[in-house]
Structure formats: structure tokens, C-alpha cells
């Protein structure tokens, strides 16, 4: 069988498989490369539909998508971010504060639009399939929707930046989000001038990508073994 071929009747063709892996490996958390070009509703619709096809425990589909285009509202969101960033900076180790303050951590006003993906925690209360023992599964399911959106956006040439530095109560008040709904991801979305070769935080020296092979364990946490798998991962 040729290298890279598969015997599975359900596998994608090689070019399609490579496109999926390419979207995953070249996805970036975009902050500084937004071009300002608008995103067509037809494209945004495809991205939201991709997010809506995410796996959800109990098929609860707990997400909603709040589109924020208004410039004045986005400026107010940015003010929330700046206030929260000052608070976070105080908790960064002293020798890292200088670098932290140089990092570009948002593109709220520069992107074409913002999108807040929320989790309605009451949506499947009457039938808590898969949530009885782990009630956090609705939040995890919503994160899967975020990932779907992000990967589809990369395939469309659309940049996405996840802004997490907010006071949640203040953000909910600004966006009129009900008490029982959780804002899971606040995303900056737009066309970009480029996608960076490496994640910005790696390029700027904040952290480096950990070798995946070092994160593999066998049978139990910390268990040794899987040498063949680790070698295969390291050899990619």
C-alpha cells in the first residue's frame, strides 16, 4: 500500500485529509494582522453552521452566537479588556511583567466583527443526559463549537482571536446576557494580512510548544510505555 494510503472505506481522500490537518496546524490566535476588510454574511453563515455542527453531550446544543458589529459597543468592550488586563498584570510574576505588557492580546476594534459564543446552562435541564455526573459538559460542548468555528475560519482565510481577559459580570451586563447564560468565548473575527508562521506567544518568547510525545502516558497517569507511538509522534 502506498505511503499515506488507508484501507478504510470511510477515510477522506488524501488531499482532503491534508487540508484538515493543515487547518489545524496553521490555525492562529490572531491579534495584530486584521486587514479591516469586511466578512461577507455568506462566509460568516458557513462558520456559524460549522460551529453548530460541533459535538454536544446529550445533543443539548447549548450555544448561542452574539454578533457585535457596532463600533461604539466594541470600544466599550475594549475598555473592559483594558481594565481587566491591568488587574491581571499585577498577578504576573515580576520578571515576566515587562514582557506581558508588550504582548498584543486583542484586536477588538481592528477586526471586522466580534462574536460572543455563549452557553445556555438551562437548555437541557429537563433531560440531563451525560451531565448528571459531570454538569460541566455543556460548557465543554460549547468549547467544541468554538473550535469548529476557528478551524472553519482558518479554511476560509478568516482570522480569529480569542479574548479571555474580561470581568465576566461586566461583559454580561454590556451584552445583556442573562444570568443563567455563560459567555464562553469572545472572538475577534476578520480577514487578515497574513497568518503567522508560529503562534505570537511563541515568537515573542512567552512559551514554547511542548513536544507532544512527552505528553503521552500508558494505562495510568504517568504510566511508562507506548514507545512506538511516542516515536511515531516525534518523527512527524
Amino acid at each position: 500500500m502506498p505511503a499515506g494510503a488507508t484501507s478504510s472505506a470511510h477515510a477522506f481522500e488524501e488531499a482532503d485529509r491534508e487540508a484538515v490537518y493543515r487547518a489545524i496546524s496553521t490555525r492562529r490566535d490572531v491579534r495584530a494582522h486584521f486587514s479591516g476588510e469586511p466578512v461577507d454574511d455568506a462566509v460568516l453563515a458557513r462558520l456559524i453552521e460549522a460551529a453548530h455542527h460541533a459535538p454536544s453531550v446529550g445533543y443539548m446544543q447549548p450555544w448561542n452566537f452574539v454578533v457585535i458589529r457596532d463600533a461604539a459597543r466594541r470600544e466599550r468592550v475594549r475598555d473592559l479588556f483594558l481594565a481587566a488586563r491591568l488587574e491581571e498584570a499585577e498577578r504576573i510574576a515580576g520578571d515576566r511583567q515587562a514582557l506581558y505588557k508588550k504582548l498584543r492580546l486583542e484586536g477588538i476594534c481592528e477586526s471586522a466583527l466580534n462574536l460572543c459564543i455563549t452557553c445556555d446552562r438551562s437548555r437541557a435541564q429537563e433531560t440531563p443526559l451525560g451531565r448528571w455526573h459531570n454538569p460541566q459538559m455543556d460548557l465543554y460542548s460549547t468549547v467544541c463549537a468554538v473550535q469548529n468555528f476557528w478551524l472553519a475560519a482558518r479554511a476560509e482565510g478568516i482570522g480569529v482571536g480569542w479574548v479571555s481577559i474580561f470581568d465576566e459580570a461586566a461583559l454580561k451586563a454590556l451584552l445583556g446576557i442573562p444570568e443563567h447564560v455563560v459567555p464562553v468565548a469572545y472572538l475577534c473575527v476578520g480577514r487578515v494580512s497574513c497568518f503567522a508562521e508560529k503562534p505570537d506567544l511563541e515568537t515573542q518568547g512567552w512559551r514554547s510548544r511542548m513536544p507532544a510525545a512527552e505528553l503521552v502516558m500508558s494505562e495510568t497517569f504517568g504510566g511508562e510505555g507506548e514507545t512506538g507511538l511516542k516515536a511515531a509522534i516525534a518523527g512527524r
Side-chain angles (χ1 to χ4, degrees):
M1 183 178 294
T6 176
S7 60
S8 172
H10 303 294
F12 290 0
E13 296 293 332
E14 183 174 2
D16 295 332
R17 291 200 311 274
E18 289 303 315
V20 173
Y21 291 123
R22 181 185 174 198
I24 293 169
S25 64
T26 62
R27 179 209 58 78
R28 294 290 178 264
D29 197 353
V30 177
R31 310 294 182 174
H33 303 298
F34 289 111
S35 67
E37 297 176 63
V39 175
D40 293 341
D41 279 353
V43 175
L44 184 59
R46 290 197 291 270
L47 304 186
I48 290 176
E49 192 69 20
H52 187 48
H53 278 76
S56 63
V57 172
Y59 205 39
M60 69 184 78
Q61 304 161 78
W63 40 72
N64 283 96
F65 307 94
V66 183
V67 181
I68 302 105
R69 302 181 191 269
D70 181 70
R73 187 182 304 277
R74 287 201 273 166
E75 288 175 2
R76 292 168 66 189
V77 172
R78 188 168 188 267
D79 288 343
L80 295 182
F81 160 80
L82 291 173
R85 179 171 178 167
L86 285 175
E87 294 176 346
E88 184 172 85
E90 296 175 357
R91 291 160 176 79
I92 302 296
D95 59 343
R96 303 275 279 173
Q97 276 201 21
L99 176 56
Y100 176 85
K101 291 176 180 178
K102 293 178 181 178
L103 297 175
R104 179 65 185 273
L105 298 177
E106 54 82 27
I108 295 168
C109 296
E110 296 80 3
S111 55
L113 59 96
N114 296 174
L115 183 73
C116 186
I117 301 182
T118 64
C119 176
D120 185 340
R121 308 214 66 189
S122 69
R123 187 157 294 172
Q125 279 186 340
E126 73 286 356
T127 54
L129 174 61
R131 290 181 62 202
W132 181 254
H133 294 93
N134 189 349
Q136 305 301 312
M137 293 309 297
D138 55 347
L139 296 170
Y140 300 161
S141 296
T142 304
V143 172
C144 289
V146 176
Q147 180 80 332
N148 271 21
F149 183 94
W150 214 333
L151 293 177
R154 180 62 188 89
E156 296 275 4
I158 303 294
V160 176
W162 186 336
V163 184
S164 60
I165 305 173
F166 288 117
D167 177 88
E168 182 178 301
L171 182 64
K172 290 178 70 168
L174 180 56
L175 301 183
I177 297 174
E179 179 63 28
H180 66 280
V181 175
V182 176
V184 171
Y186 192 93
L187 306 177
C188 306
V189 181
R191 297 199 176 277
V192 297
S193 58
C194 67
F195 285 95
E197 183 176 342
K198 293 183 178 181
D200 288 348
L201 291 181
E202 184 172 358
T203 300
Q204 295 175 46
W206 186 256
R207 293 195 73 173
S208 299
R209 188 178 300 279
M210 300 171 67
E214 294 181 7
L215 307 177
V216 175
M217 304 173 188
S218 179
E219 304 297 342
T220 59
F221 195 91
E224 298 292 335
E226 296 293 348
T227 55
L229 173 60
K230 292 175 182 178
I233 294 172
R236 288 188 57 80

